[in-house]
Amino acid sequence: MSDLVLRNARLWGIPEPTDMTIRDGRILQHGRSQVGADASEYDLQGALVLPGLVDAHAHVDKTLFSGPWVPRTAGPGLAAAIEYGRVERGKYGVPHPDYIEALLTNMVVHGTTHARSHIDIDPDLGINAVHAVREAVDRLRGRIDVELVAFPQTGLLTSPGTLDYMREAVEAGVELVGGIDPGGFDGDAVGHLDHIFELAERYGIGLDIHLHDGDNLGVYEFDLIIERTKALSMQGKVTVSHAFALFDADPATRQRLIDDLAENRINVTSVAPRKVLPLRDLDAAGVAMGIGNDGVRDLWSPYGTGEMLERTLWFARNSGFSKDPDIELALEAATYGGAHILGLPDYGLAEGSRADLLVVQARNAPEAVMTHPQPDLVVKNGVVTAHTGSLSE
Amino acid sequence: MSDLVLRNARLWGIPEPTDMTIRDGRILQHGRSQVGADASEYDLQGALVLPGLVDAHAHVDKTLFSGPWVPRTAGPGLAAAIEYGRVERGKYGVPHPDYIEALLTNMVVHGTTHARSHIDIDPDLGINAVHAVREAVDRLRGRIDVELVAFPQTGLLTSPGTLDYMREAVEAGVELVGGIDPGGFDGDAVGHLDHIFELAERYGIGLDIHLHDGDNLGVYEFDLIIERTKALSMQGKVTVSHAFALFDADPATRQRLIDDLAENRINVTSVAPRKVLPLRDLDAAGVAMGIGNDGVRDLWSPYGTGEMLERTLWFARNSGFSKDPDIELALEAATYGGAHILGLPDYGLAEGSRADLLVVQARNAPEAVMTHPQPDLVVKNGVVTAHTGSLSE
């Protein structure tokens, strides 16, 4: 593999444009370099370089991206949405490797190099969605890494048999165990959490739990999660997604929860809803937060494109962020925060890092969020994977 | 002017693609037509046609669009933001016809054909911002109509002399009188409102009042506005912008206010904040709502591009809309709602309407909002004004 040289690159956090040499999948060095005649060179003319975007909460298996427009007709509430998705998906062949591939492609051309996707596991589908997603990821040939979560979308206790399929998914190599509103949806907060913690602990893998439950039910469930994380010494391996209780809670309770999350190295992710997570407080306490696109163009929601910079804008805007350091904090969540949660080694733009990055037309990072341009160039493992909206050969 | 024919056009609300003939600035007819050999024809191949987007709440005079990146450093709160803008704008030559022209150009190429812009009027600037905006609008040579509001951004009572300049602005042809948080910012709710209602009534023009004041202060001010609208028989001429009290109020108070707004034909506008206006309730009661981009890339906010479809998406998303009819309702606000508020005659896609429209790659209106594509074609007064991101000659 020949060297890749990016000239006149404005690296996020470094004021003056510099050159970057990439060799054997890594950032070899910043600054002028002597490279062989066969090196590929790009003159970025001062364009901004960001580390590869990390989608920390996706549901790529559900997508209808590139497929038919399906108007949503679910009844109100979470349970109705879940039932609607379960009943209707078969009509459209969901999970469908072609739709998943189309979505992953749009993610790649917009600079996402890593994602964590929850995958529906239930008695109807078994672990078929795992196969569908893996097939689509394989078609992208290394342009994006997707970590999978075995997700009991239709319930663990309310949908008997699901736990067995989740175990099967884990045996098949799925990286994490999921969970969903243990009390508010599945009806037994302690029972649900005991099952998923036990499964994760037995296989020595992580957990990522959907927690839409807000208010004091959500606080109660947070406490159960913190208690189990501590008891099983699973610090650093647990993520709570959505986590609306952190928005709903009174300031004292919120701070107490944040401190407990920090102490137990429990991460959170947000998909930038109106109930936006308190990123500044989380960051101050040292809690890692990631941003994700959630379901994109599926039976749950017509929103989304898989574009992380746009989602980061939504997060920043709903957070009321208008100052550069705050907007950069949101972008840190979409990059370094997600990378921390996914446990990516050697992530970033420093010398020696894995060369996963994107090049955008922006003068600085806040502008990149505000304009969320399509990247000119996306690099993964040192190889150019996309150019201005198209995958590279 | 030769005829313009759009073939295979999917008109919003009409299921089957049809042809549209445009003559002398108007939509002459739908369906097959006999036109002269010199007609300009476009085969839209089923692309979607929407009526021209209406930005019902802009601040184009403040923009730094296409100019330097200015990190925001204002202190917290409305008063600090106002003072920051007043003190800093001179450094950047704001209001600046070049920046305004750049923003208006981006609005045009994204399908906005009409806008209402609040224009800062104060003792420092006098009515200079009116001149700057008019110069920029003139440079666009009819591609966009911009209605102006004489806006006392720095206060009417707290910034003595402003009222005289507002009168000067109105004498100079500015179409509406503005106002801002009569109690919460300007310190005398009754005094402020009496002044601006008197000015508007004397000249027989409309009012558009910024009301960020929420909770019961906002409700109190709403009542004062409703009372004056009724007393001065100004039904149909008053708009309340932002109107956060409609979000904050308890359901009974909200409904009571909405009914009073409907009875007095008072309009509202929203810029799609987290405190989103209750569009379904407003629509059910017959209150017109418009959507606007607010300030774009200025000393107040780094957000925005002037793209109305993207702003409509933000409004729909923060409203929790996921069904097609709801998303279409948001798009109706961004088109017909704004057109009603601006009093545009013969607006729409029906035969006989003014030919103000855009063509986008989408299968239906909800998809156009979700993907907010750049229009392939924008038509204003029957003339093609923009093609895929560039102004036409």
Side-chain angles (χ1 to χ4, degrees):
Chain A
M1 195 164 69
S2 62
D3 292 351
L4 175 63
V5 182
L6 306 180
R7 302 225 181 266
N8 302 308
R10 193 179 299 271
L11 310 185
W12 183 19
I14 298 180
E16 291 305 311
T18 183
D19 294 352
M20 176 191 274
T21 305
I22 293 166
R23 179 174 296 167
D24 296 330
R26 290 184 179 271
I27 297 170
L28 179 70
Q29 63 181 36
H30 299 167
R32 280 275 153 205
S33 67
Q34 304 298 324
V35 290
D38 65 340
S40 299
E41 294 200 11
Y42 292 86
D43 183 351
L44 303 191
Q45 300 184 294
L48 183 70
V49 176
L50 301 174
L53 300 166
V54 181
D55 189 323
H57 188 99
H59 287 270
V60 299
D61 59 325
K62 292 185 196 287
T63 194
L64 285 157
F65 205 76
S66 80
W69 182 264
V70 181
R72 185 162 189 258
T73 55
L78 182 68
I82 290 171
E83 183 61 9
Y84 173 75
R86 191 186 66 77
V87 170
E88 296 290 311
R89 65 189 171 197
K91 288 186 195 168
Y92 307 102
V94 168
H96 197 309
D98 291 352
Y99 301 153
I100 302 168
E101 180 188 6
L103 173 56
L104 291 172
T105 298
N106 206 48
M107 291 163 71
V108 167
V109 302
H110 287 92
T112 296
T113 54
H114 298 82
R116 172 182 286 184
S117 181
H118 298 257
I119 309 293
D120 287 3
I121 306 288
D122 62 53
D124 294 345
L125 277 181
I127 69 162
N128 288 347
V130 172
H131 301 312
V133 171
R134 283 188 172 159
E135 181 181 336
V137 172
D138 285 349
R139 292 184 194 170
L140 271 292
R141 291 183 287 134
R143 291 184 174 89
I144 184 167
D145 290 322
V146 185
E147 185 179 70
L148 307 188
V149 186
F151 178 50
Q153 173 72 84
T154 58
L156 193 67
L157 307 169
T158 54
S159 197
T162 298
L163 190 61
D164 294 333
Y165 287 110
M166 287 178 65
R167 193 175 297 109
E168 185 183 337
V170 172
E171 289 278 355
V174 162
E175 288 89 346
L176 294 111
V177 173
I180 179 168
D181 293 327
F185 175 65
D186 215 23
D188 179 355
V190 165
H192 182 108
L193 290 172
D194 281 348
H195 278 304
I196 61 174
F197 267 91
E198 188 196 22
L199 181 59
E201 199 221 1
R202 181 177 327 154
Y203 286 87
I205 62 179
L207 269 170
D208 192 328
I209 305 164
H210 279 61
L211 209 63
H212 313 90
D213 284 339
D215 297 315
N216 55 355
L217 174 57
V219 172
Y220 161 67
E221 292 169 327
F222 254 117
D223 283 332
L224 294 176
I225 291 167
I226 292 161
E227 183 187 24
R228 279 156 184 73
T229 303
K230 205 179 291 189
L232 299 173
S233 300
M234 288 184 64
Q235 288 86 354
K237 294 181 127 177
V238 178
T239 299
V240 178
S241 286
H242 303 304
F244 294 151
L246 287 178
F247 178 90
D248 293 333
D250 63 85
T253 304
R254 178 185 304 126
Q255 192 56 50
R256 200 264 297 159
L257 281 180
I258 289 175
D259 291 342
D260 286 347
L261 295 179
E263 191 187 321
N264 292 284
R265 288 183 282 126
I266 296 172
N267 315 304
V268 294
T269 71
S270 175
V271 301
R274 216 161 53 162
K275 285 194 177 187
V276 74
L277 293 188
L279 177 53
R280 280 187 295 224
D281 296 342
L282 291 161
D283 182 66
V287 177
M289 193 195 89
I291 293 177
N293 274 294
D294 209 9
V296 166
R297 212 67 55 77
D298 59 25
L299 292 169
W300 283 69
S301 165
Y303 291 85
T305 55
E307 300 178 32
M308 278 297 293
L309 286 177
E310 183 175 37
R311 187 67 55 154
T312 305
L313 165 66
W314 296 355
F315 183 88
R317 185 165 190 270
N318 277 352
S319 297
F321 290 171
S322 66
K323 299 191 174 180
D324 281 10
D326 288 335
I327 299 166
E328 295 203 60
L329 197 58
L331 186 56
E332 282 170 21
T335 51
Y336 294 94
H340 177 84
I341 292 171
L342 271 65
L344 306 181
D346 305 328
Y347 177 87
L349 295 176
E351 294 179 344
S353 301
R354 295 297 316 169
D356 298 331
L357 53 86
L358 58 151
V359 176
V360 288
Q361 290 295 333
R363 289 168 288 187
N364 52 56
E367 187 173 50
V369 176
M370 292 299 110
T371 60
H372 54 93
Q374 179 162 271
D376 294 344
L377 212 60
V378 182
V379 173
K380 166 84 173 167
N381 279 323
V383 176
V384 174
T385 54
H387 278 281
T388 54
S390 300
L391 296 183
S392 318
E393 289 306 306
Chain B
M1 197 164 68
S2 61
D3 292 351
L4 175 63
V5 181
L6 306 180
R7 301 227 181 263
N8 303 308
R10 193 180 298 271
L11 309 185
W12 183 19
I14 298 181
E16 291 305 311
T18 183
D19 295 352
M20 176 191 273
T21 304
I22 293 166
R23 180 174 294 168
D24 296 331
R26 291 187 179 269
I27 297 170
L28 178 70
Q29 62 181 38
H30 299 167
R32 281 275 152 204
S33 67
Q34 303 298 324
V35 290
D38 66 340
S40 299
E41 294 200 12
Y42 293 85
D43 183 352
L44 303 192
Q45 301 184 295
L48 183 70
V49 176
L50 301 175
L53 301 166
V54 181
D55 189 324
H57 187 100
H59 287 270
V60 298
D61 59 325
K62 293 185 194 288
T63 194
L64 286 156
F65 205 76
S66 79
W69 182 263
V70 182
R72 184 158 190 261
T73 55
L78 182 68
I82 290 171
E83 182 62 9
Y84 173 76
R86 192 186 66 77
V87 169
E88 296 289 311
R89 65 188 171 197
K91 288 185 193 167
Y92 307 102
V94 168
H96 197 309
D98 291 353
Y99 301 153
I100 301 168
E101 180 188 4
L103 174 56
L104 291 173
T105 299
N106 206 48
M107 291 163 71
V108 167
V109 303
H110 287 91
T112 296
T113 54
H114 298 83
R116 172 182 287 185
S117 181
H118 298 256
I119 309 292
D120 286 4
I121 306 289
D122 62 53
D124 294 346
L125 277 181
I127 69 162
N128 287 346
V130 173
H131 301 312
V133 171
R134 283 188 170 160
E135 182 181 336
V137 172
D138 286 348
R139 292 185 194 169
L140 272 289
R141 290 183 289 134
R143 291 185 174 88
I144 185 168
D145 290 322
V146 185
E147 183 180 71
L148 307 188
V149 185
F151 177 50
Q153 172 73 85
T154 60
L156 193 67
L157 307 169
T158 55
S159 196
T162 298
L163 190 61
D164 294 332
Y165 286 110
M166 286 178 63
R167 192 174 298 110
E168 185 183 337
V170 172
E171 290 279 354
V174 162
E175 288 90 345
L176 295 110
V177 173
I180 179 169
D181 293 327
F185 175 65
D186 215 24
D188 179 355
V190 166
H192 183 107
L193 290 172
D194 282 347
H195 279 304
I196 61 174
F197 267 91
E198 187 198 22
L199 181 57
E201 199 221 0
R202 182 177 326 156
Y203 287 86
I205 61 179
L207 269 169
D208 192 329
I209 306 164
H210 279 61
L211 208 62
H212 313 90
D213 283 340
D215 298 316
N216 56 355
L217 174 56
V219 172
Y220 161 67
E221 292 169 327
F222 254 116
D223 283 331
L224 294 176
I225 291 167
I226 292 162
E227 183 186 24
R228 279 155 184 73
T229 303
K230 205 179 292 189
L232 299 172
S233 300
M234 287 184 65
Q235 288 85 353
K237 294 181 129 178
V238 178
T239 300
V240 178
S241 286
H242 303 303
F244 294 151
L246 287 179
F247 177 89
D248 293 335
D250 63 85
T253 304
R254 178 185 304 127
Q255 192 56 51
R256 201 264 298 159
L257 282 179
I258 289 175
D259 291 342
D260 286 348
L261 295 179
E263 190 185 323
N264 292 285
R265 288 182 283 127
I266 297 172
N267 315 303
V268 294
T269 72
S270 176
V271 301
R274 217 160 52 162
K275 285 194 178 187
V276 74
L277 292 188
L279 176 54
R280 278 186 297 221
D281 295 342
L282 292 162
D283 182 65
V287 178
M289 193 195 90
I291 294 177
N293 274 293
D294 207 9
V296 166
R297 212 68 55 75
D298 59 24
L299 292 167
W300 283 69
S301 165
Y303 291 84
T305 55
E307 300 177 33
M308 278 297 293
L309 286 177
E310 183 175 36
R311 187 67 56 155
T312 305
L313 165 66
W314 296 355
F315 182 88
R317 186 166 189 268
N318 277 352
S319 297
F321 290 171
S322 66
K323 299 192 174 180
D324 282 10
D326 288 335
I327 299 165
E328 295 203 61
L329 196 58
L331 186 57
E332 282 169 22
T335 52
Y336 293 93
H340 177 85
I341 292 171
L342 270 66
L344 306 182
D346 305 327
Y347 177 86
L349 296 177
E351 293 180 344
S353 301
R354 297 295 317 168
D356 299 331
L357 53 85
L358 58 150
V359 176
V360 289
Q361 290 296 332
R363 288 169 288 187
N364 51 57
E367 187 173 52
V369 175
M370 292 299 109
T371 60
H372 54 94
Q374 179 162 271
D376 294 345
L377 211 61
V378 183
V379 173
K380 167 84 174 166
N381 279 324
V383 176
V384 174
T385 54
H387 279 279
T388 55
S390 300
L391 295 183
S392 318
E393 288 308 306

